[in-house]
Amino acid sequence: MGDQKARTSTVSLDESTSAISIPSTPSSTPSPPPPPLRHPISLVHPPTQEKKHKTKTKVFRVFRSVFRSFPIITPTACKIPALPGGLPDAHRGSSRTRVTGTLFGYRKGRVSLSIQETPRCFPTLVIELAMQTNMLQKELSSGMLRIALECEKPADKVKTKIFEEPLWTMHCNGKKTGYGLKREANEEDLYVLEVLRVVSMGAGVMPRHSMVEGPDVELAYLRAHFDRTVGSKDSETLYMLSPEGNNGPELSIFFVRI
C-alpha cells in the first residue's frame, strides 16, 4: 500500500510538472530584437529674435526718455569735420551676422544645408538642395561655388521672412539644377548636428546613423562659419569664411525673392 501510494504521488507529480512546463516551452519563432536607442540630443534652442528686438526697443525708449530730459542748448558755432573717406563700411549698407552652416549628405544622395546660430543650437533653417553630394564635392574642387536660391514674391504681400519660404529654384554656378525644399529637421539631421556639435569648421565623413537604412555607409559633411548679409527683406547672402592663411574653396549662397 505504501509503495502504491508513493508511485501514485510520483505519477501525479510528474503529470503536474509536465502540465506546467508545456506552456512555458519557448516557441520556434524568435522574439524580435529591441529597437535601437535614440542618439541623445544636447542641442539647445537659439535665442529668439523677438526677445532681442524687444530688449533693444526697451533700451532705446529708456535712452530717449533720458535724452529728452536734458536742457536744449543752442550752440553759437559748430563745425563738424568731414571724414575724408566718408562713413566706414560698417555703418552703411547691409547688416551682417556670423552663423554656422553645414552641408551634408550621403555620396549618392542629395545635399542638405543647415543653418545654426551656433554649433550648439538647433537649426534655424534646413533645406534639401537639388544637388547630389558627389557633384557638390566636384564643384568645390574647382575652387568656386555659387548657389542661388530663388523664389517668387507673394502676391498678397504677406510679411514672410525669406528663410521661411518653402520652395526654391536652385542654380549652381549659373545652371539650373532643380528645386530646393525647406523642411523641418528630422532625426538624421539632428544626429549629424549633434555629432558635429564640437566642430566649428572642417570637412570629412562620418558613419551612417544606425536607424537609417541605405546602400551608403558614410556621410560626407562640410562645416564652416558663414557671414550672413541681409541686403533687404527679399535678399540675403551667406559667404563662407575660410581660416586665415587657408586658400580653400569659395562658397556663396544667395537667397533672392523676385
Side-chain angles (χ1 to χ4, degrees):
M1 293 293 290
D3 297 337
Q4 185 177 2
K5 289 182 180 180
R7 293 192 190 96
T8 304
S9 61
T10 304
V11 171
S12 62
L13 179 61
D14 294 340
E15 292 176 351
S16 62
T17 305
S18 62
I20 294 174
S21 61
I22 289 174
S24 62
T25 302
S27 59
S28 59
T29 304
S31 58
L37 298 177
R38 294 172 61 92
H39 196 278
I41 302 299
S42 60
L43 301 174
V44 299
H45 292 281
T48 60
Q49 297 296 330
E50 294 181 358
K51 290 184 178 181
K52 292 182 180 180
H53 178 71
K54 290 181 179 179
T55 304
K56 291 181 180 180
T57 303
K58 184 177 180 180
V59 173
F60 175 76
R61 289 177 179 175
V62 172
F63 176 81
R64 184 176 58 181
S65 62
V66 173
F67 182 79
R68 286 180 175 178
S69 63
F70 293 162
I72 299 176
I73 301 175
T74 303
T76 56
C78 181
K79 293 183 180 180
I80 301 177
L83 296 176
L87 292 176
D89 294 338
H91 295 279
R92 66 156 76 111
S94 307
S95 61
R96 298 180 180 180
T97 55
R98 177 172 292 190
V99 296
T100 299
T102 309
L103 294 160
F104 60 93
Y106 295 103
R107 298 188 183 278
K108 297 181 180 179
R110 298 179 66 173
V111 180
S112 295
L113 169 65
S114 169
I115 302 300
Q116 301 167 272
E117 290 189 12
T118 67
R120 301 179 182 272
C121 292
F122 282 100
T124 56
L125 175 68
V126 177
I127 297 181
E128 186 174 326
L129 302 177
M131 174 185 291
Q132 289 190 341
T133 306
N134 53 4
M135 183 59 64
L136 172 67
Q137 294 173 334
K138 181 180 179 180
E139 294 292 340
L140 286 174
S141 63
S142 64
M144 180 179 297
L145 178 59
R146 300 288 184 268
I147 296 176
L149 298 171
E150 299 179 352
C151 66
E152 297 182 356
K153 293 182 180 180
D156 51 1
K157 296 182 179 180
V158 178
K159 293 183 179 179
T160 303
K161 295 182 179 180
I162 193 168
F163 274 8
E164 295 178 357
E165 295 290 345
L167 187 65
W168 302 86
T169 301
M170 179 175 166
H171 299 265
C172 178
N173 287 341
K175 298 179 180 179
K176 183 178 178 180
T177 58
Y179 296 94
L181 178 65
K182 178 189 174 184
R183 57 178 171 80
E184 296 294 331
N186 55 33
E187 184 175 354
E188 185 177 4
D189 301 332
L190 297 180
Y191 162 75
V192 174
L193 300 180
E194 176 65 27
V195 173
L196 300 178
R197 186 172 58 90
V198 296
V199 179
S200 58
M201 302 182 70
V205 295
M206 65 176 63
R208 170 183 288 278
H209 188 14
S210 59
M211 299 187 67
V212 179
E213 297 180 357
D216 292 344
V217 296
E218 291 182 340
L219 184 145
Y221 70 89
L222 169 65
R223 164 165 283 199
H225 293 304
F226 283 80
D227 191 358
R228 179 182 176 183
T229 303
V230 180
S232 67
K233 64 179 181 179
D234 296 322
S235 66
E236 293 194 19
T237 308
L238 298 176
Y239 297 100
M240 186 176 71
L241 302 177
S242 299
E244 296 182 1
N246 183 11
N247 297 324
E250 296 183 7
L251 172 60
S252 300
I253 304 174
F254 304 90
F255 296 84
V256 182
R257 268 195 294 230
I258 56 176

